[in-house]
Amino acid sequence: MNIYRILHLVASRRIPASVKLLGLCMMHLVGRRTIGIFMDPVLSCNLRCRMCYFSDAEKRKSMHGMITGSRLDAVARALYPRALKLQIGCGAEPTLYRNLAGIVRQGHAYGIPYISLTTNGQLIASGYVSLIDLVRAGLNEITVSVHGTSRKIYEEMMPGATFDRLSGLIDCLIDVKSEFPGFKIRINYTVNSMNMYDLQGDCFWTLWKGLELDIVQLRPVQDMGRTDWNDFDMVSLKENYDSTIGNIIRGCKERGITCIAPGREQLDEVATLQDGVSSVIEDITYCYVSPEECYKSDFNPDNDTYESYHRRNATAIKLLKSVWSRKERMRNASKKLNYDVK
């Protein structure tokens, strides 16, 4: 399966809203896999990236906890049979979790078609976590967060990380890719007024020389609350769009790499209201799991299953109504990226 093809279809403006919603409703009713599980197994991070809330000392004090084995088993029983994707690592660093391979192995045993790890990669480079063991356990993709491609910008934007370990990670990725050619490598780059210049010319591509990238995602910086970074003005990004974000989009096209990036006109839409269709789809399919949360505020994985929860809430009826009635498509605030899959 190609999870990015599915993303492209969901994001497409050419598919009528009613068709998207009717398709989701039918898949929901017949028991197909429709949800994406986004899991933070541990609420901690080894870095203090300037654009992240872990750069704030007070916020770090409130971020704690680790998912226990019994909790994982309950979540797996309740949700994994309906999961289309399991992403391990969202706002925290998953490689700090001691039994990371166990999470991957369990997801694979439940037949989840696509399992991804989002990480800064520093602990993989240092040998604390074995990437090859994760791939052998069933990991399909790694997403590496990199917020600079030159030594100076990378280390300035990601305090606690070193450019030398990033180079070591790239060597590790090359080795894994040679043994598992189907393993996907995705780069996540959050663009701001400082690091956008690392996207100009060949700087970005020089860093990854020798490594076959599969996906590149460019995300405009967002206001995450109290962080060390405070410049969220999109003016410079728009003015330099063609030589930065546009440059990477063109480079991806030339190299046959999937690119997830906003158009110039979408830069102002980063934190606006979602359209009603996106809100309905996200409400059903987005599932966040952490030591403190699981899917919905009234969902208890010890007692609920995906099916029992949605029967109790008459979700199928609500979905059918949303197909025909715009009033059922409530617009919700979201910080999810407005993007095109290219």
Side-chain angles (χ1 to χ4, degrees), residues 57-70:
E58 290 303 314
K59 181 64 176 179
R60 289 200 302 273
K61 291 179 182 178
S62 67
M63 300 287 286
H64 53 81
M66 185 177 297
I67 293 181
T68 63
S70 59

Side-chain angles (χ1 to χ4, degrees), residues 86-317:
L86 170 61
Q87 178 179 309
I88 308 168
C90 300
E93 178 50 50
T95 58
L96 291 169
Y97 190 77
R98 292 182 178 179
N99 189 25
L100 192 56
I103 297 179
V104 175
R105 195 174 296 111
Q106 187 176 49
H108 185 68
Y110 270 89
I112 298 178
Y114 205 80
I115 303 176
S116 177
L117 175 71
T118 299
T119 173
N120 57 55
Q122 292 283 299
L123 293 179
I124 293 174
S126 68
Y128 182 81
V129 173
S130 170
L131 180 59
I132 197 73
D133 286 348
L134 294 177
V135 177
R136 288 169 178 161
L139 189 68
N140 303 105
E141 175 192 74
I142 185 171
T143 299
V144 183
S145 295
V146 177
H147 307 312
T149 56
S150 63
R151 180 183 295 271
K152 180 179 183 300
I153 297 299
Y154 178 81
E155 293 184 351
E156 185 167 346
M157 293 306 307
M158 305 177 69
T162 71
F163 198 74
D164 290 335
R165 280 199 292 269
L166 175 61
S167 298
L169 175 65
I170 293 172
D171 291 339
C172 174
L173 292 173
I174 291 172
D175 290 342
V176 171
K177 191 77 168 176
S178 66
E179 184 172 346
F180 296 91
F183 182 65
K184 302 298 182 184
I185 298 173
R186 169 173 165 173
I187 303 304
N188 176 50
Y189 194 104
T190 301
V191 190
N192 61 35
S193 57
M194 177 184 291
N195 69 8
M196 66 178 179
Y197 299 106
D198 273 8
L199 301 179
Q200 294 180 331
D202 293 327
C203 185
F204 183 88
W205 302 111
T206 299
L207 176 64
W208 309 108
K209 187 176 181 180
L211 176 62
E212 180 186 342
L213 300 180
D214 296 283
I215 307 101
V216 173
Q217 177 168 356
L218 304 176
R219 302 176 62 91
V221 63
Q222 296 184 42
D223 188 349
M224 305 291 290
R226 293 175 58 179
T227 67
D228 186 56
W229 186 261
N230 56 20
D231 180 7
F232 306 102
D233 194 327
M234 294 290 119
V235 172
S236 61
L237 270 65
K238 287 190 288 186
E239 290 177 345
N240 294 276
Y241 184 88
D242 288 339
S243 65
T244 57
I245 295 174
N247 179 49
I248 300 304
I249 292 173
R250 292 189 297 273
C252 286
K253 186 175 181 180
E254 292 170 1
R255 294 166 174 81
I257 297 171
T258 298
C259 187
I260 304 174
R264 189 198 307 266
E265 71 284 354
Q266 293 172 311
L267 291 175
D268 288 327
E269 303 172 10
V270 173
T272 58
L273 287 174
Q274 289 180 310
D275 64 83
V277 176
S278 297
S279 294
V280 172
I281 293 174
E282 180 178 322
D283 185 58
I284 303 300
T285 64
Y286 178 78
C287 174
Y288 178 67
V289 175
S290 76
E292 301 173 345
E293 301 177 50
C294 183
Y295 196 24
K296 307 287 186 181
S297 60
D298 58 342
F299 184 91
N300 183 348
D302 291 321
N303 302 316
D304 283 320
T305 64
Y306 177 90
E307 290 77 14
S308 67
Y309 176 83
H310 287 290
R311 279 197 301 269
R312 186 168 73 244
N313 287 276
T315 300
I317 295 173

